[in-house]
Amino acid sequence: MIIHRPVCTDTAHLIREIVSAVGARLMPVDLSDPEVIGRLITARARIVYLDTPTNPLNNILDIAAIAERAHAHGLMVAVDSTFATPALQRPLEHGADIVLHSLSKYINGHGDTVGGALLGKAAVIRQLREEAFRHRHETAISPQASFLILRGLNTLALRMDQHCNAAHALALTLEAHPYVAWVRYPFLDSHPDHEIARRQMSGGSGMLAFGLHKGAEGATAMTRRLRLIKSGGNLAEIGSFICGSARLTHARHLSLAGSEFCASLGEDFIRCSVGLEDAEDLVEDLLVALDFA
Ligand SMILES: *Cc1c(COP(=O)(O)O)cnc(C)c1O
């Protein structure tokens, strides 16, 4: 399994615990250069796995370019598209063979249940199901969770529009602020892969990554002053949440297995999951909180 590093912490944990237990070898690589696939390929290679956008750094990978290289060598491509959702990005249209979504995030969107989905050709999904049964990792989503997820799905497109608009407004506000050292949002022109983002996504989604010149200390001072944006690691919910690298790194230490597949975060790192509040209110909240000097 050729796997783009970093993947989300939960995925890193699963990969270590389950994938290696069934005898797969894992090869962490940087797929921002898709040519790496041709250079690293071995006779045992079967699949290329990636998240795009990545959690929490908002890196963007070129699905079409990766799929082209992978297919030329007879490999399948699996893409975790959780951060974008099908409203903003449809990896199958760019050549991916399997798409993964956490239903716990934007697709349900209300932060009140958990679930996941795999999409792809019927024959591939059938094979994966049979394999899961063989290894006793099959699970069923409860009727209540199914009800909540389907209810959320009805408003996915509307919610993603609002998440995107508010997050983009906040990203521009942050980028123009003298206390802000850096901002990573896929639809900012300053994002190194914003051209790829604009080609394969119809919006930048609701996740922001940024850092202040005053680092972790500044982040704590700012977070204390926020009124509307809440402090917490929650992600893709109705409300906006913010957390620093200490919190994300702590979560990772609780599941050390697989941490070599996670992103290394600077001390100044801040992640904000932008919710569905009024965009002007969010900008105001952030500007007041940033005025801590
Ligand atoms: C949160 C997340 C997951 C895991 O989803 P759960 O439903 O919490 O298991 C997987 N991939 C990405 C990109 C995520 O952000």
Side-chain angles (χ1 to χ4, degrees), residues 109-180:
H110 294 67
D112 50 12
T113 193
V114 292
L118 276 179
L119 300 90
K121 290 207 175 79
V124 174
I125 300 299
R126 201 174 308 122
Q127 192 188 345
L128 288 170
R129 278 199 79 184
E130 283 167 12
E131 205 58 35
F133 281 128
R134 209 177 344 270
H135 294 289
R136 299 173 187 277
H137 289 132
E138 81 281 12
T139 51
I141 297 184
S142 74
Q144 173 70 3
S146 306
F147 162 74
L148 290 170
I149 292 161
L150 289 171
R151 177 210 52 181
L153 191 58
N154 286 319
T155 55
L156 177 66
L158 290 169
R159 286 186 287 105
M160 291 318 292
D161 264 356
Q162 177 64 18
H163 285 300
C164 289
N165 290 339
H168 203 162
L170 283 174
L172 291 168
T173 301
L174 286 167
E175 195 169 45
H177 199 283
Y179 291 180
V180 176

Side-chain angles (χ1 to χ4, degrees), residues 36-175:
V36 79
I37 295 170
R39 289 200 292 273
L40 286 177
I41 196 121
T42 71
R44 288 185 64 202
R46 292 289 178 273
I47 191 162
V48 176
Y49 186 100
L50 58 127
D51 294 2
T52 187
T54 64
N55 177 7
L57 278 168
N58 259 340
N59 294 327
I60 301 294
L61 295 166
D62 189 336
I63 300 168
I66 291 166
E68 194 194 311
R69 297 302 180 292
H71 291 161
H73 295 282
L75 310 182
M76 290 185 105
V77 176
V79 178
D80 182 332
S81 191
T82 296
F83 263 30
T85 83
L88 306 178
Q89 169 176 282
R90 289 173 288 279
L92 297 176
E93 293 173 3
H94 301 281
D97 302 287
I98 300 169
V99 180
L100 300 88
H101 285 288
S102 165
L103 300 177
S104 329
K105 308 286 174 61
Y106 288 115
I107 292 182
N108 173 56
H110 294 67
D112 50 12
T113 193
V114 292
L118 276 179
L119 300 90
K121 290 207 175 79
V124 174
I125 300 299
R126 201 174 308 122
Q127 192 188 345
L128 288 170
R129 278 199 79 184
E130 283 167 12
E131 205 58 35
F133 281 128
R134 209 177 344 270
H135 294 289
R136 299 173 187 277
H137 289 132
E138 81 281 12
T139 51
I141 297 184
S142 74
Q144 173 70 3
S146 306
F147 162 74
L148 290 170
I149 292 161
L150 289 171
R151 177 210 52 181
L153 191 58
N154 286 319
T155 55
L156 177 66
L158 290 169
R159 286 186 287 105
M160 291 318 292
D161 264 356
Q162 177 64 18
H163 285 300
C164 289
N165 290 339
H168 203 162
L170 283 174
L172 291 168
T173 301
L174 286 167
E175 195 169 45

Side-chain angles (χ1 to χ4, degrees), residues 14 29-30 35 52 73 86 92 98 184 222 228-229 250 283:
L14 275 178
V29 300
D30 180 0
E35 299 293 345
T52 187
H73 295 282
L92 297 176
I98 300 169
R184 191 53 88 81
M222 178 197 69
L228 186 57
I229 302 171
H250 178 67
V283 167

